[in-house]
Amino acid sequence: MDKLIITVALTGNVPTKALNPNLPVTAEEIAADVRRAADAGAVLFHVHARDAEARPTLDVAVYKESVRRIRAVAPEVIVQLSTGARAGKEWEDRAAPVRLLPEMASFTTGSFNMPGVIYENPPKFLLFLAEAFETTGVKPEIEVFEAGNITNALFLRDKGLLSAPLHFDLVLGVPGAMAGTVRNLQFLVDSIPAGSTWSVAGIGKAQIPLAAAAIAIGGHVRIGLEDHLYLPDGQLASNLALVEKVVRIARELGRDLASPDEARALLSLAPGARDRIAANLAH
Ligand code: ZN
């Protein structure tokens, strides 16, 4: 079995400090959480940006500040920027994090209902964003909330806009999309092309049970306060506590952890991709 890649979704767009004071929202807090989680065994960090009022934003200046601070304290980790829609709807704004040239960025290949809103990713937008990934060479993490998202990703691959091997994050348990069950996880795993890599992001109470399932069957794991604010025993979580829990489960199941460079190899990240963002951070 491949070594385990642990991804941390540190902040997200929805959680607030009022709900969990451990939530990192400023660039400084995010960088400090990255360092702690990396020391505990995490290697990949899914980063959202918040403005001065802690509201979701796609402002590249805020992303730059986060990446700058992360690189200062944890230069070895893989940074993945979010292109999620809750921070803005303009197509170019959503592509802006990709154009900063991070090693990875997220890419949700379809629309569906979320609590209170439609997560809109219409067909023409998927072509637009896929083109941004293809022209920049940034590795997409394809966010799959339901099985049609895989169909759309394969359509884009067949058009030459996404390059194999693909990496999927199977997000299960969002109210309005697929439920967070092991059966659904196995179905999605069976539905992606051979040679792909995948992680699971269990939302809400599905977080740790689905992480354990993924560790058992050879997938990778995303955890973090973006996905759930609590530990399984009902205590408020922190990103560090979630990483520590997953590391303990992996150890019990005999799964070794991937180092950042081992994760880069497993994810087929281009050599040198880590430092391509440096010039963009300078100005
Ligand atoms: Zn996210």
Side-chain angles (χ1 to χ4, degrees):
M1 224 176 251
D2 288 333
K3 289 187 176 178
L4 175 67
I5 300 169
I6 299 177
T7 298
V8 185
L10 299 146
T11 306
N13 281 327
V14 179
T16 63
K17 270 192 188 297
L19 295 174
N20 184 331
N22 298 324
L23 185 79
V25 295
T26 66
E28 197 175 2
E29 290 169 345
I30 288 169
D33 245 22
V34 167
R35 187 63 264 163
R36 282 189 284 265
D39 287 338
V43 294
L44 206 171
F45 292 88
H46 174 79
V47 174
H48 284 253
R50 300 287 186 98
D51 67 16
E53 274 78 51
R55 291 174 307 211
T57 177
L58 288 165
D59 184 348
V60 292
V62 183
Y63 270 118
K64 282 186 191 176
E65 182 59 15
S66 271
V67 176
R68 239 184 243 119
R69 285 183 182 262
I70 291 170
R71 285 169 64 93
V73 298
E76 76 278 18
V77 305
I78 304 167
V79 174
Q80 175 190 101
L81 300 183
S82 169
T83 62
R86 292 214 182 190
K89 292 209 183 318
E90 294 301 322
W91 288 11
E92 196 45 61
D93 289 348
R94 290 188 57 191
V98 179
R99 301 200 201 286
L100 273 180
L101 306 180
E103 273 189 278
M104 298 180 77
S106 60
F107 184 11
T108 301
T109 48
S111 306
F112 55 92
N113 285 357
M114 277 188 159
V117 292
I118 300 172
Y119 189 3
E120 282 181 63
N121 295 292
K124 280 187 178 157
F125 173 69
L126 296 188
L127 289 167
F128 169 82
L129 194 54
E131 217 164 272
F133 277 103
E134 191 58 22
T135 53
T136 56
V138 172
K139 174 97 180 186
E141 175 172 282
I142 300 162
E143 308 293 339
V144 173
F145 293 75
E146 56 93 4
N149 294 15
I150 297 173
T151 315
N152 290 337
L154 299 186
F155 170 80
L156 296 168
R157 179 199 63 184
D158 294 344
K159 277 190 101 63
L161 292 171
L162 293 179
S163 308
L166 302 178
H167 176 65
F168 295 89
D169 183 44
L170 310 173
V171 187
L172 290 169
V174 173
M178 284 176 79
T181 65
V182 172
R183 186 173 70 150
N184 282 342
L185 173 62
Q186 187 66 58
F187 167 66
L188 293 179
V189 170
D190 292 342
S191 303
I192 62 177
S196 306
T197 48
W198 64 272
S199 58
V200 72
I203 305 301
K205 287 182 176 170
Q207 177 160 246
I208 298 299
L210 287 183
I215 293 167
I217 64 175
H220 303 285
V221 167
R222 171 177 127 173
I223 38 90
L225 295 180
E226 171 169 354
D227 298 341
H228 196 37
L229 295 170
Y230 298 92
L231 294 164
D233 65 4
Q235 303 274 334
L236 280 179
S238 66
N239 286 314
L240 174 61
L242 290 165
V243 173
E244 288 175 339
K245 185 169 288 293
V246 166
V247 169
R248 279 198 297 275
I249 295 169
R251 194 180 297 132
E252 291 293 334
L253 296 180
R255 190 92 186 266
D256 292 330
L257 302 185
S259 70
D261 283 341
E262 287 168 340
R264 288 184 172 92
L266 288 167
L267 296 168
S268 307
L269 300 185
R274 179 168 103 186
D275 294 318
R276 287 205 305 152
I277 198 170
N280 289 327
L281 297 178
H283 49 79

